[in-house]
Amino acid sequence: MNRKQIKLSIITPNLNGGRYIEETIKSVINQNYNNIEYIIIDGGSTDNSHKIIKKYSKYIKHFKIRKDKNMYEAISYGFKLATGDIFTWINSDDFYYKNFLSLILKKIKDNNYNFINCISSSKKNNKITTYPIAFYFPQKYIAKGKCHKSDYGFIPQESVFFTKKLYLKCGGVPVKYNLAGDYYLWKKMAIYQKLKPINLKCAVFRKSKGQLSGDMLGYYKEIKKEYFYKRNLFRFLLSLFYFIFYTYKS
């Protein structure tokens, strides 16, 4: 990447996300980074989503309303419109920490990274929980499909960034899945690149009743594995080892 400020394309897929989408939008447009291309793809919401989105239309590069089969079809369509150097997506119930995107993009640019993840945070019942370090995901674990809750642990989608070049090289996000499209996207990306952990907070994943990510049985059916709850202590210990001995050179 050259010396100019790199461009970040952010996609938000939405379907009846009016309860939280305003917080999501504001967390994007209020960042202290100027070169952000924000794209919202709506699957035909019937709640107040469109009214909220239109309030911020001058900050949104593309707002498209189109019927789709699932969120990954919306994300795929959004990335086809995107012109940024770096791609990411954030769902309409998640949000970014204030003024962290500029720090993350500086790390990406300075180190010429192609595929990165940040510290994982989640919010439940108005309480935000944040891990002390970014998780390290070995390339071979991702490629072999071991990065899920019943094995090594999930990759936090809302805190993952990747280059447009890598996205196109691996064929983009698969749209035939309703729940596990990111799992298969990471597998494809890991064929070509390591996922580099950056020890910065980025985004908050919101846990709430009825969200798609709560359908563990459906998710595990799509990845063709058996679901059982597992505490991922090994992931934390390996990440801590990586942090101590490699100091996340980022």
Side-chain angles (χ1 to χ4, degrees):
M1 297 175 191
N2 58 34
R3 290 290 179 182
K4 70 176 183 179
Q5 191 181 50
I6 59 177
K7 186 176 186 179
L8 172 64
S9 293
I10 302 174
I11 313 298
T12 291
N14 179 64
L15 181 62
N16 295 324
R19 183 178 179 186
Y20 299 118
I21 195 170
E22 187 162 24
E23 184 176 10
T24 304
I25 293 171
K26 290 170 73 173
S27 78
V28 173
I29 67 176
N30 290 333
Q31 293 287 321
N32 63 344
Y33 192 81
N34 297 323
N35 206 4
I36 294 177
E37 176 184 61
Y38 192 30
I39 298 170
I40 300 179
I41 309 298
D42 186 279
S45 295
T46 56
D47 64 355
N48 61 339
S49 292
H50 297 170
K51 182 178 179 180
I52 293 171
I53 294 167
K54 288 174 181 177
K55 283 174 56 179
Y56 302 96
S57 59
K58 68 178 180 178
Y59 302 104
I60 300 167
K61 180 67 175 179
H62 299 288
F63 169 41
K64 302 290 184 180
I65 303 171
R66 61 191 301 274
K67 290 291 183 180
D68 51 53
K69 296 178 182 178
N70 55 54
M71 67 175 175
Y72 297 109
E73 192 173 299
I75 292 164
S76 176
Y77 182 76
F79 283 138
K80 289 177 182 177
L81 300 175
T83 60
D85 305 293
I86 305 297
F87 282 4
T88 191
W89 79 86
I90 187 163
N91 293 322
S92 59
D93 50 357
D94 301 332
F95 59 94
Y96 290 117
Y97 283 104
K98 185 176 181 180
N99 296 336
F100 267 86
L101 291 182
S102 59
L103 302 176
I104 292 161
L105 291 166
K106 185 177 187 303
K107 296 290 186 183
I108 292 173
K109 183 177 180 180
D110 290 348
N111 295 279
N112 201 28
Y113 287 148
N114 292 281
F115 186 24
I116 68 102
N117 67 284
C118 305
I119 293 174
S120 179
S121 296
S122 62
K123 183 175 183 178
K124 185 177 182 180
N125 298 329
N126 294 317
K127 180 181 178 182
I128 295 177
T129 301
T130 301
Y131 285 92
I133 56 175
F135 292 130
Y136 167 60
F137 295 89
Q139 186 176 11
K140 64 180 181 180
Y141 283 17
I142 305 171
K144 290 181 178 180
K146 295 174 68 67
C147 292
H148 56 88
K149 182 64 178 175
S150 300
D151 199 321
Y152 186 74
F154 286 126
I155 296 172
Q157 167 271 313
E158 66 284 348
S159 294
V160 174
F161 297 74
F162 41 89
T163 61
K164 179 179 182 178
K165 182 178 180 181
L166 177 60
Y167 179 80
L168 295 176
K169 186 174 184 178
C170 74
V173 63
V175 300
K176 67 179 182 179
Y177 302 103
N178 294 320
L179 303 167
D182 47 325
Y183 169 86
Y184 287 103
L185 179 62
W186 309 150
K187 281 187 67 176
K188 292 194 295 181
M189 288 184 172
I191 295 172
Y192 304 104
Q193 293 287 337
K194 293 180 179 179
L195 179 59
K196 297 286 189 176
I198 290 183
N199 217 37
L200 290 169
K201 293 191 298 183
C202 172
V204 178
F205 168 73
R206 189 190 302 272
K207 296 180 179 180
S208 58
K209 291 183 179 180
Q211 63 187 157
L212 287 174
S213 58
D215 184 4
M216 284 291 100
L217 294 180
Y219 179 91
Y220 273 83
K221 183 177 180 179
E222 289 189 356
I223 69 171
K224 299 179 174 62
K225 296 183 185 296
E226 182 181 357
Y227 172 66
F228 58 90
Y229 180 80
K230 178 181 178 181
R231 296 184 67 86
N232 295 302
L233 181 60
F234 177 66
R235 180 181 63 173
F236 178 76
L237 293 175
L238 188 58
S239 299
L240 183 61
F241 177 87
Y242 189 93
F243 175 75
I244 293 171
F245 290 95
Y246 291 90
T247 61
Y248 284 113
K249 301 174 182 178
S250 54

